[in-house]
Amino acid sequence: EDKVVQSPLSLVVHEGDTVTLNCSYEVTNFRSLLWYKQEKKAPTFLFILTSSGIEKKSGRLSSILDKKELFSILNITATQTGDSAIYLCAVDNNNDMRFGAGTRLTVKP
Amino acid sequence: NAGVTQTPKFRILKIGQSMTLQCTQDMNHNYMYWYRQDPGMGLKLIYYSVGAGITDKGEVPNGYNVSRSTTEDFPLRLELAAPSQTSVYFCASSYSTNTEQFFGPGTRLTVL
């Protein structure tokens, strides 16, 4: 059965901390892995990963994919209260998109 | 560009009623998707389309129907609403596979 599993489900940190969010997957026809941030409403795009070992970086956020071990991590350094959100991992399984349940990150001042 | 628009924003249905959730995108994207998101959960794919005239089932298609007569529009039809269909529905579009998806603002549907 195709599945995407994220961990932890929730995380509470203080401003300035570094966090690592995990996403593992088992799908039949992997094409890419995507990370989204969801605050109050619709998800907004962060990264798309298609190749192993190549880090994608945007400011304090970075992500990497391991296609051999079937997982990805999303790192956020020097967290801010504005990083509080649900982070969703999705896998493009030949257009049949599979999402994980998300990690709810809370950053306290 | 308006991006992806969805109507209505909110709707309450009675069991057995039917309705259509509208989704339109003005980015000339080929790919369009319908998801539902239950409280505390990730998104589950209902249907998707890779171009006008082509639709495919996702993970949770039962109780729903879609059509794609134009590139811009991808309506989602609920024929016999059930309480289990209470959810937030998101429409999304992308230029092709392996590209980011752009999401609409969502429709919050309650079936009583």
Side-chain angles (χ1 to χ4, degrees):
Chain A
E1 181 187 344
D2 297 322
K3 61 181 178 181
V4 177
V5 179
Q6 292 186 244
S7 63
L9 292 181
S10 66
L11 191 55
V12 180
V13 300
H14 287 94
E15 273 192 316
D17 288 349
T18 294
V19 297
T20 298
L21 310 182
N22 304 292
C23 176
S24 64
Y25 62 91
E26 289 181 38
V27 298
T28 314
N29 295 297
F30 177 89
R31 284 194 177 179
S32 60
L33 185 144
L34 301 94
W35 284 97
Y36 290 88
K37 178 181 182 181
Q38 185 175 28
E39 295 174 89
K40 296 288 185 183
K41 294 184 178 178
T44 54
F45 173 79
L46 294 174
F47 298 110
I48 183 168
L49 303 155
T50 56
S51 301
S52 276
I54 299 175
E55 185 182 53
K56 293 281 185 86
K57 200 168 171 62
S58 176
R60 297 175 293 102
L61 277 67
S62 63
S63 184
I64 198 161
L65 174 68
D66 185 328
K67 289 170 74 173
K68 181 179 177 185
E69 300 297 329
L70 308 182
F71 77 92
S72 173
I73 60 171
L74 175 68
N75 278 321
I76 308 175
T77 60
T79 52
Q80 303 171 355
T81 55
D83 295 327
S84 295
I86 297 172
Y87 290 84
L88 297 167
C89 170
V91 172
D92 184 341
N93 183 33
N94 194 23
N95 298 316
D96 182 10
M97 301 297 295
R98 297 295 173 117
F99 278 75
T103 293
R104 180 180 293 275
L105 174 65
T106 303
V107 181
K108 293 189 172 182
Chain B
N1 285 352
V4 180
T5 57
Q6 292 182 238
T7 57
K9 291 182 180 174
F10 304 95
R11 183 73 186 267
I12 299 175
L13 285 181
K14 292 183 180 178
I15 294 172
Q17 286 186 319
S18 62
M19 77 163 294
T20 300
L21 283 67
Q22 301 290 347
C23 175
T24 300
Q25 52 91 10
D26 63 357
M27 296 173 282
N28 202 31
H29 285 170
N30 291 316
Y31 290 64
M32 295 188 76
Y33 309 82
W34 273 107
Y35 297 93
R36 59 177 287 173
Q37 186 175 31
D38 298 329
M41 302 293 289
L43 282 71
K44 290 194 181 294
L45 182 65
I46 305 171
Y47 272 95
Y48 66 96
S49 169
V50 301
I54 305 169
T55 61
D56 279 294
K57 295 178 180 179
E59 187 180 359
V60 290
N62 291 345
Y64 307 94
N65 278 301
V66 293
S67 59
R68 185 92 183 274
S69 57
T70 67
T71 299
E72 295 78 19
D73 300 306
F74 191 40
L76 177 72
R77 178 86 179 157
L78 283 72
E79 290 294 349
L80 289 169
S84 60
Q85 294 178 304
T86 294
S87 190
V88 178
Y89 291 83
F90 289 104
C91 178
S93 73
S94 64
Y95 176 70
S96 72
T97 189
N98 283 353
T99 59
E100 70 172 286
Q101 293 185 11
F102 294 83
F103 284 82
T107 294
R108 184 175 295 275
L109 176 67
T110 302
V111 182
L112 300 174

